[in-house]
């Protein structure tokens, strides 16, 4: 059984991102995957204080919910991060979360590390029609995976444009099923 963790960066409950996630998880092969969805906005995650103590200790000095999410990542084989476009970028919740992953960032000599072999996928959605904002979000998420030494592959990215609300997601039911099938076939 593979463990798959969905990190939902939208602060809105029952919005478009929730609907998209529910369709992806509904189409996952239940015999292959044990999945968990976490909503970043349900967690108490402080801003990074910029102290850089973690550059030396590989640990964050702040005691909040970030550590529970780190445990969830460690326990998972596949991480799927999903963000709507907010001002042409990832949501604030996701940016704060990424900053707090700095103890795991491989650009400093002493850093914490997740066990090898994890894979990272990315999903972006937006109201506007052109894909460029979504591609930027996907690039940001893949950049994050890269510094955490989580493997990513462009083919496991999905983006949806023209999404105003959860009903709009239904226009993409076929594409979402194809994305879930891609995940099903990958293991
Ligand atoms: C604060 C805010 C900023 C947004 N900025 C953009 C934007 O720059 N470009 C865009 O295409 N959509 C933008 N949107 C629209 C969302 O990306 C879109 O409605 C998405 O489906 C929201 O997902 P949700 O229902 O899970 O919140 C913005 C929405 C909000 C609330």
């Amino acid at each position: 059984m593979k463990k798959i963790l969905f990190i939902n960066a939208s602060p809105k409950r029952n919005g478009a991102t929730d609907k998209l996630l529910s369709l992806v998880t509904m189409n996952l092969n239940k015999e292959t995957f044990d999945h968990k969805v976490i909503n970043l906005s349900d967690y108490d995650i402080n801003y990074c204080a910029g102290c850089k103590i973690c550059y030396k200790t590989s640990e964050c000095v702040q005691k909040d919910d970030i550590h529970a999410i780190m445990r969830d990542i460690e326990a998972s084989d596949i991480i799927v991060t999903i963000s709507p476009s907010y001002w042409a970028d990832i949501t604030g919740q996701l940016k704060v979360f990424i900053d707090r992953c700095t103890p795991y960032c491989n650009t400093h000599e002493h850093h914490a590390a997740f066990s090898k072999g994890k894979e990272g996928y990315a999903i972006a959605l937006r109201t506007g029609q052109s894909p460029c904002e979504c591609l930027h979000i996907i690039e940001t998420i893949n950049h994050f995976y890269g510094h955490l030494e989580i493997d990513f592959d462009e083919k496991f990215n999905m983006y949806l444009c023209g999404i105003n609300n959860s009903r709009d997601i239904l226009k993409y039911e076929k594409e979402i099923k194809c994305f879930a099938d891609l995940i099903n076939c990958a293991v």
Side-chain angles (χ1 to χ4, degrees):
M1 196 68 128
K2 288 265 182 189
K3 291 200 168 177
I4 179 160
L5 178 70
F6 292 89
I7 301 178
N8 180 357
S10 172
K12 188 168 177 187
R13 293 287 66 79
N14 303 315
T17 313
D18 272 2
K19 183 70 188 171
L20 169 49
L21 264 179
S22 70
L23 290 182
V24 173
T25 56
M26 196 177 87
N27 283 290
L28 284 179
N29 185 344
K30 303 289 174 293
E31 283 165 20
T32 318
F33 292 108
D34 176 15
H35 80 266
K36 177 172 182 175
V37 177
I38 62 168
N39 303 307
L40 289 177
S41 59
D42 291 343
Y43 289 78
D44 175 27
I45 306 172
N46 298 323
Y47 293 119
C48 171
C51 66
K52 298 186 183 169
I53 291 173
C54 67
Y55 284 24
K56 294 200 179 85
T57 63
S58 318
E59 273 176 42
C60 184
V61 292
Q62 299 196 61
K63 304 282 174 251
D64 59 12
D65 291 344
I66 194 78
H67 307 284
I69 302 180
M70 297 299 103
R71 286 193 292 275
D72 277 336
I73 293 178
E74 180 53 30
S76 304
D77 303 294
I78 298 171
I79 321 299
V80 185
T81 305
I82 172 166
S83 180
S85 172
Y86 271 22
W87 287 85
D89 219 314
I90 57 172
T91 61
Q93 284 78 3
L94 183 54
K95 180 66 172 84
V96 170
F97 169 70
I98 290 176
D99 288 349
R100 289 295 307 285
C101 290
T102 302
Y104 288 77
C105 180
N106 66 0
T107 51
H108 40 93
E109 194 189 337
H110 300 285
H111 63 86
F114 295 112
S115 49
K116 298 280 176 214
K118 296 186 190 305
E119 287 173 47
Y121 307 162
I123 307 177
L125 61 152
R126 68 171 298 214
T127 297
Q129 291 293 345
S130 83
C132 54
E133 280 181 32
C134 289
L135 294 173
H136 168 66
I137 288 169
I138 286 171
E139 195 181 307
T140 299
I141 295 170
N142 287 343
H143 176 262
F144 162 65
Y145 289 146
H147 283 302
L148 263 50
E149 300 183 3
I150 292 173
D151 301 331
F152 61 89
D153 180 335
E154 303 292 330
K155 85 170 183 256
F156 292 105
N157 297 331
M158 176 171 67
Y159 61 84
L160 305 182
C161 299
I163 306 292
N164 251 319
N165 52 49
S166 57
R167 284 184 309 281
D168 290 333
I169 293 292
L170 298 173
K171 293 187 285 195
Y172 288 98
E173 240 174 326
K174 219 165 104 189
E175 285 82 354
I176 295 167
K177 189 173 180 319
C178 282
F179 183 74
D181 283 345
L182 197 67
I183 301 177
N184 288 332
C185 294
V187 294

